[in-house]
Amino acid sequence: MIDAHCHLDEFENIPETIATAKQSGVTHLISCGTGMTSIQKTLELTEKYPEIYVAVGLGYSLRSRNLLATQKKLFKLLNHPRVAAIGECGLDYPLGITETDKNFQKDLFKMHVELAEKSNLPLVIHSRNAHEDISNIVKPNMPAQAHCFVGTLGQMHDCVTRGWYISFGGILTFKKSVDLREVAGSVPNDRLLIETDSPYLSPEPFRGQPNNPSNVRIVAEALAEIKQTSLSEIDALTTANTKSLFSKISI
Ligand SMILES: [Zn+2]
């Protein structure tokens, strides 16, 4: 089983977190950077732990006036053998966000999209109320993970048409996520990914507590129920899909 999106650098006890994940059957983890320090820390972890792959990105909230210099710094990291993706990145539009804030986010996101184009690495995309703007910025035929997907059926179909993978996390298990479970049921099997976004977004019954990568199994179990199939089938297909999108992951 692969946790296709987590933030290992944010854990206090990283060795224990990884050991527990391995005991639960997690074979690989894609740990996403959210800033320069976080990326460096995650890259250092790859030296100790062969199961970690890294997504290089700065998130969506950084306000930089010199994105070109930032892009150059990030570009230098992309040759690292365990860098498997660009992200996380994307757009996050809370209620009442200003146009200025949206524009800062769009510029930062465009910088990440350019990096993905130059490096041929897939994008790890965060989207909150921003599907349209994201669709306009990402060029056709760019591979991507729609991370922690919470969109509509129409948005899911749009992502799939673009060749993206739909990645579900703990929100799928929340009682109120009735519509999301219906959307998940319609995702083609060859586009499904599972993730935790840990230490955030714990699935039920651990909602509100810190999350960890071993809980990816709970997401897989929820998907198995939705798809009316076995846990081992979900494990097999999501593992294959993750390796297909993040092609740097070795078996
Ligand atoms: Zn994340």
Side-chain angles (χ1 to χ4, degrees):
M1 208 169 284
I2 300 178
D3 182 354
H5 185 115
C6 59
H7 299 276
L8 285 172
D9 63 293
E10 297 187 33
F11 282 86
E12 266 172 38
N13 193 337
I14 296 170
E16 192 190 297
T17 304
I18 293 169
T20 311
K22 280 172 75 176
Q23 278 160 20
S24 313
V26 177
T27 56
H28 300 83
L29 308 108
I30 298 174
S31 192
C32 298
T34 49
M36 279 298 179
T37 318
S38 135
I39 295 166
Q40 283 303 348
K41 196 170 168 188
T42 314
L43 284 173
E44 279 165 28
L45 287 174
T46 65
E47 286 161 29
K48 259 194 183 168
Y49 303 102
E51 31 306 272
I52 299 176
Y53 286 79
V54 184
V56 164
L58 301 176
Y60 46 83
S61 52
L62 175 82
R63 279 177 167 235
S64 168
R65 298 208 179 268
N66 195 353
L67 279 176
L68 209 61
T70 310
Q71 190 181 42
K72 276 184 186 158
K73 265 191 221 164
L74 291 177
F75 191 71
K76 280 186 193 155
L77 304 172
L78 304 184
N79 280 332
H80 191 290
R82 303 274 280 285
V83 170
I86 305 296
E88 73 179 278
C89 56
L91 303 173
D92 190 291
Y93 295 168
L95 227 65
I97 185 171
T98 63
E99 283 306 310
T100 315
D101 281 340
K102 278 188 180 179
N103 287 334
F104 268 112
Q105 288 196 23
K106 283 184 202 171
D107 287 345
L108 184 63
F109 184 44
K110 283 176 192 164
M111 184 276 282
H112 286 94
V113 171
E114 278 174 27
L115 275 179
E117 263 185 307
K118 283 184 192 168
S119 61
N120 277 323
L121 288 168
L123 282 163
V124 176
I125 299 178
H126 169 106
S127 171
R128 173 152 67 130
N129 303 329
H131 180 77
E132 206 182 321
D133 281 352
I134 283 175
S135 304
N136 289 333
I137 292 171
V138 181
K139 317 244 163 54
N141 303 317
M142 289 187 78
Q145 171 190 26
H147 135 69
C148 203
F149 188 82
V150 288
T152 63
L153 188 67
Q155 289 167 351
M156 182 276 285
H157 282 307
D158 184 41
C159 293
V160 167
T161 307
R162 289 164 168 272
W164 297 4
Y165 289 72
I166 313 296
S167 191
F168 292 101
I171 294 176
L172 193 66
T173 68
F174 294 178
K175 283 185 189 72
K176 60 161 195 192
S177 300
V178 179
D179 292 349
L180 188 63
R181 283 189 283 274
E182 211 176 298
V183 172
S186 302
V187 177
N189 281 351
D190 62 355
R191 296 302 177 80
L192 277 172
L193 301 181
I194 48 173
E195 61 165 88
T196 59
D197 204 15
S198 55
Y200 310 103
L201 289 171
S202 273
E204 293 288 0
F206 303 114
R207 197 173 170 186
Q209 297 170 37
N211 198 3
N212 67 76
S214 58
N215 285 339
V216 75
R217 174 177 291 269
I218 298 175
V219 179
E221 282 166 356
L223 261 186
E225 203 183 315
I226 292 164
K227 289 276 187 181
Q228 294 182 322
T229 185
S230 64
L231 178 63
S232 62
E233 180 63 26
I234 293 293
D235 178 9
L237 67 90
T238 55
T239 297
N241 295 345
T242 312
K243 286 177 178 173
S244 164
L245 175 61
F246 304 105
S247 54
K248 283 245 194 116
I249 299 181
S250 53
I251 297 157

